[in-house]
């Protein structure tokens, strides 16, 4: 087997570049982008990126960089509408989006119990989260978002650790057609099949899940 031998100078340069990219992401989050319109993310999402529940700003820490990049690109293109995020995303360069997304993925967040379909479901919110409503072709949330709603890959973000206000706001946006950047209108169909009470109940279920520890 033949191994490629990298020159020491090349390896050092690569490491320095990676460190610079990480530092840039941290700077963008804390201070904003080069364009003044790209304000600091921490202003709304908190210094630890765990969100500000009372104001409806979501947790960003620990979320897949691929998912965050797509959302920023969708805000920029107008595919996902939000009066605050659209001008910010439009002011970020591709490199800045890449850097801040990677930084957010690496930020520590809370861990949650891996509650799955086999767990007992008490109440409307738990029933929707763990069993779904298949008579309306509504799958259980954990089928896509993973046990405990901790998120799966780049396509399905975490629900655990988000506020009920944010989660219900997104479900209502899908139901009303204000948000439509999901594949094959999956979330649009689910949201339109739910009542106001069900949206509130399942949002509160995930918002109230007890975290176990802080993971790096």
């Amino acid at each position: 087997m033949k191994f490629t031998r990298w020159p020491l100078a090349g390896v050092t340069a690569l490491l320095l570049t990676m460190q610079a990219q990480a530092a840039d992401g941290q700077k963008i989050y804390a201070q904003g982008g080069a364009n003044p319109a790209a304000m600091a993310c921490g202003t709304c999402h908190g210094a630890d990126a765990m969100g500000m529940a009372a104001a409806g700003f979501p947790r960003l820490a620990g979320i897949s960089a691929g998912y965050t990049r797509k959302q920023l690109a969708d805000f920029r293109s107008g595919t996902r509408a939000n009066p605050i995020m659209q001008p910010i995303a439009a002011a970020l360069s591709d490199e800045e989006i890449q850097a801040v997304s990677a930084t957010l993925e690496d930020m520590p967040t809370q861990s949650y119990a891996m509650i799955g379909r086999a767990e007992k479901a008490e109440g409307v919110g738990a029933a929707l989260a763990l069993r779904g409503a298949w008579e309306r072709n509504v799958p259980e949330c954990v089928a896509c978002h993973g046990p405990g709603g901790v998120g799966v890959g780049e396509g399905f973000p975490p629900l655990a650790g988000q506020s009920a206000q944010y989660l219900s706001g997104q479900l209502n946006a899908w139901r009303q057609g204000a948000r439509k950047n999901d594949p094959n209108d999956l979330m649009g169909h689910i949201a339109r099949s739910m009542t106001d009470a069900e949206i509130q109940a399942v949002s509160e279920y995930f918002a109230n899940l007890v975290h176990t520890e802080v993971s790096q």
Side-chain angles (χ1 to χ4, degrees):
M1 182 180 294
K2 184 178 180 180
F3 294 92
T4 301
R5 303 183 66 178
W6 293 88
L8 180 60
V11 174
T12 302
L14 177 61
L15 290 173
L16 289 173
T17 299
M18 292 172 66
Q19 291 172 354
Q21 288 175 341
D24 286 344
Q26 293 165 359
K27 182 178 180 180
I28 293 162
Y29 187 83
Q31 301 177 26
N35 185 327
M39 60 185 288
C41 312
T43 303
C44 297
H45 296 279
D48 57 0
M50 288 303 293
M52 294 187 182
F57 295 113
R59 157 201 159 194
L60 302 179
I63 294 179
S64 160
Y67 180 81
T68 300
R69 285 196 303 270
K70 181 183 185 302
Q71 300 313 303
L72 288 169
D74 288 349
F75 282 129
R76 183 198 279 177
S77 70
T79 306
R80 181 175 177 183
N82 182 283
I84 297 174
M85 284 305 305
Q86 283 178 282
I88 293 173
L92 289 168
S93 68
D94 291 341
E95 292 75 17
E96 288 174 329
I97 286 177
Q98 184 83 12
V100 76
S101 297
T103 291
L104 287 168
E105 181 177 47
D106 290 340
M107 290 180 77
T109 187
Q110 295 161 334
S111 294
Y112 293 84
M114 304 292 276
I115 301 172
R117 304 168 185 166
E119 298 292 332
K120 187 176 181 180
E122 296 183 350
V124 174
L128 285 166
L130 305 178
R131 303 286 188 273
W134 283 101
E135 70 279 6
R136 288 173 272 161
N137 291 316
V138 174
E140 60 273 23
C141 306
V142 298
C144 295
H145 293 273
V150 298
V152 176
E154 298 183 358
F156 300 99
L159 306 178
Q162 298 291 17
S163 70
Q165 182 178 347
Y166 175 74
L167 292 174
S168 62
Q170 296 310 299
L171 283 167
N172 280 315
W174 269 306
R175 182 164 64 168
Q176 296 160 7
R179 181 173 179 181
K180 45 193 174 185
N181 66 330
D182 53 323
N184 302 315
D185 193 35
L186 174 62
M187 284 307 306
H189 161 74
I190 291 172
R192 289 190 296 273
S193 300
M194 296 169 67
T195 66
D196 290 343
E198 287 174 330
I199 284 177
Q200 190 61 35
V202 77
S203 298
E204 290 177 356
Y205 172 81
F206 283 109
N208 293 326
L209 286 177
V210 177
H211 62 85
T212 54
E213 60 184 10
V214 174
S215 61
Q216 300 296 325

